[in-house]
């Protein structure tokens, strides 16, 4: 028999060469195995694991050693303090993307109504965060992946968030409403020949949510070009992009006659978002 303290130590040693924080990851995987919190592990370090639990735990460790993201093993990722279901085929939400939520909230009145479009919603993370913070807003969240739309619906139901409507759409193709106050998007923006992408990201996460043609700019440029047709007067578009793409993205905003164009930084002080408004 193995107790919790010994299991965490075994996990830490197992993941030592794979993870930058093997103690943390071992604890997360063990907590997932026994359906408890990390705090529970500390308070009950002498509790014994059953043989079945320890075998499941070793299986999770083996999957992590192969590079599988912990979010897919747990089938959950926290974003904006919301526990979200994620599975292979659905992009794992990143902390950097919370900057997009913060920027979007600046454009949505606290108690007022607003019509918002989230393009490429994935798990629904951005739309759900905005829906939670602005319950009077009406949010359409679209994605061309049925799996992502099903996941976004499931997350909305589990969180009891009702002011979000997930729909299947290839960018704007199935969006009928054309008077949005705000359009937001975290589209694929990695170039296909980018050598810096993490192995586990490239192997396990959905290619269509990561990579875009024309050095990662094709989907960004498509959204910037067509968003004015779907924005109301003085409506705003905010897109997430790579830190080295800010100049190209700003030039595209200028090309399509946006006003008040501004690039914003993420928590690492990298250029991460560009926004602009449309006057009609």
């Amino acid at each position: 028999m193995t107790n919790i303290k010994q299991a965490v130590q075994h996990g830490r040693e197992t993941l030592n060469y794979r993870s930058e924080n093997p103690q943390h990851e071992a604890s997360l995987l063990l907590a997932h195995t026994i359906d408890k919190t990390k705090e529970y592990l500390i308070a009950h370090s002498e509790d014994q694991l059953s043989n079945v639990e320890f075998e499941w735990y070793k299986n999770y460790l083996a999957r992590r050693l192969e590079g599988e993201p912990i979010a897919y093993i747990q089938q959950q990722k926290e974003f904006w303090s919301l526990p979200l279901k994620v599975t292979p085929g659905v992009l794992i939400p990143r902390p950097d993307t919370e900057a997009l939520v913060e920027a979007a909230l600046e454009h949505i009145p606290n108690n007022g109504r607003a019509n918002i479009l989230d393009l490429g919603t994935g798990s629904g993370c951005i739309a759900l965060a905005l829906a939670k913070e602005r319950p009077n807003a009406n949010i359409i969240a679209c994605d061309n992946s049925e799996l992502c739309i099903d996941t976004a619906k499931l997350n909305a139901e589990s969180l009891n968030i009702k002011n979000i409507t997930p729909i299947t759409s290839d960018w704007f193709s199935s969006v009928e409403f054309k008077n949005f106050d705000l359009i937001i998007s975290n589209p694929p923006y990695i170039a296909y020949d980018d050598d810096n992408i993490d192995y586990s990201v490239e192997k396990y996460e959905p290619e269509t949510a990561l990579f875009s043609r024309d050095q990662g700019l094709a989907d960004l440029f498509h959204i910037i070009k067509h968003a004015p047709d779907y924005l109301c007067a003085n409506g705003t578009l905010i897109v997430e992009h790579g830190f080295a793409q800010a100049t190209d993205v700003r030039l595209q905003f200028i090309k399509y006659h946006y006003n008040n164009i501004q690039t914003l930084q993420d928590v690492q002080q990298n250029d991460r978002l560009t926004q602009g408004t449309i006057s009609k």
Side-chain angles (χ1 to χ4, degrees):
M1 297 288 286
T2 303
N3 66 29
I4 286 176
K5 181 179 180 180
Q6 292 167 333
V8 172
Q9 181 178 352
H10 170 76
R12 183 179 68 244
E13 294 170 353
T14 301
L15 299 176
N16 190 44
Y17 297 104
R18 156 60 61 183
S19 170
E20 295 181 358
N21 194 340
Q23 174 84 18
H24 174 68
E25 292 194 357
S27 297
L28 283 177
L29 292 175
L30 182 56
H32 176 63
T33 302
I34 62 175
D35 196 24
K36 301 292 184 181
T37 65
K38 285 180 63 181
E39 291 72 23
Y40 180 93
L41 304 185
I42 297 171
H44 298 82
S45 62
E46 300 302 322
D47 286 8
Q48 300 292 315
L49 301 180
S50 70
N51 290 333
V52 171
E53 288 172 332
F54 192 55
E55 288 303 314
W56 271 109
Y57 177 55
K58 289 194 293 184
N59 173 263
Y60 293 146
L61 291 171
R63 288 167 62 181
R64 182 63 188 133
L65 274 179
E66 290 294 318
E68 184 174 355
I70 284 183
Y72 287 158
I73 298 173
Q74 294 179 307
Q75 296 193 12
Q76 181 174 294
K77 179 69 174 181
E78 185 175 283
F79 180 86
W80 202 259
S81 300
L82 300 174
L84 301 176
K85 179 180 178 62
V86 291
T87 59
V90 178
L91 187 71
I92 299 169
R94 268 57 173 185
D96 285 346
T97 300
E98 292 190 351
L100 180 51
V101 176
E102 293 172 353
L105 289 173
E106 294 293 323
H107 296 274
I108 311 170
N110 283 329
N111 298 312
R113 297 187 178 278
N115 293 306
I116 302 167
L117 175 63
D118 176 21
L119 293 168
T121 196
S123 64
C125 59
I126 300 169
L128 290 164
L130 294 178
K132 177 189 176 185
E133 298 294 337
R134 299 291 189 267
N136 291 323
N138 175 50
I139 304 173
I140 295 177
C142 70
D143 203 289
N144 65 356
S145 163
E146 291 285 356
L147 174 61
C148 288
I149 291 303
D150 289 344
T151 302
K153 289 178 179 177
L154 183 63
N155 282 325
E157 290 170 4
S158 67
L159 295 167
N160 196 31
I161 292 176
K162 301 186 183 300
N163 55 324
I164 171 177
T165 304
I167 66 168
T168 304
S169 180
D170 185 5
W171 300 130
F172 298 97
S173 65
S174 299
V175 179
E176 297 180 357
F177 187 76
K178 292 191 175 183
N179 200 33
F180 289 100
D181 301 286
L182 177 66
I183 298 176
I184 51 176
S185 183
N186 175 23
Y189 54 75
I190 300 174
Y192 279 96
D193 60 355
D194 191 331
D195 295 328
N196 296 316
I197 187 168
D198 184 83
Y199 164 79
S200 65
V201 172
E202 186 171 18
K203 179 177 179 181
Y204 288 96
E205 296 197 57
E207 178 180 314
T208 55
L210 295 168
F211 298 98
S212 186
R213 294 177 292 103
D214 301 333
Q215 294 301 302
L217 293 166
D219 291 299
L220 281 161
F221 282 10
H222 178 85
I223 292 166
I224 295 166
K225 177 181 178 179
H226 293 284
D229 296 332
Y230 293 83
L231 285 167
C232 66
N234 298 314
T236 299
L237 170 67
I238 312 175
V239 293
E240 179 174 334
H241 52 72
F243 69 90
Q245 296 171 324
T247 298
D248 289 324
V249 169
R250 282 197 301 272
L251 288 173
Q252 201 73 1
F253 270 75
I254 293 170
K255 178 179 178 179
Y256 290 101
H257 310 296
Y258 289 80
N259 301 310
N260 305 317
I261 300 165
Q262 184 180 13
T263 294
L264 306 173
Q265 288 71 45
D266 59 23
V267 293
Q268 305 298 327
Q269 300 303 305
N270 292 318
D271 289 342
R272 185 61 59 192
L273 311 170
T274 295
Q275 62 183 16
T277 60
I278 286 291
S279 299
K280 295 185 177 181

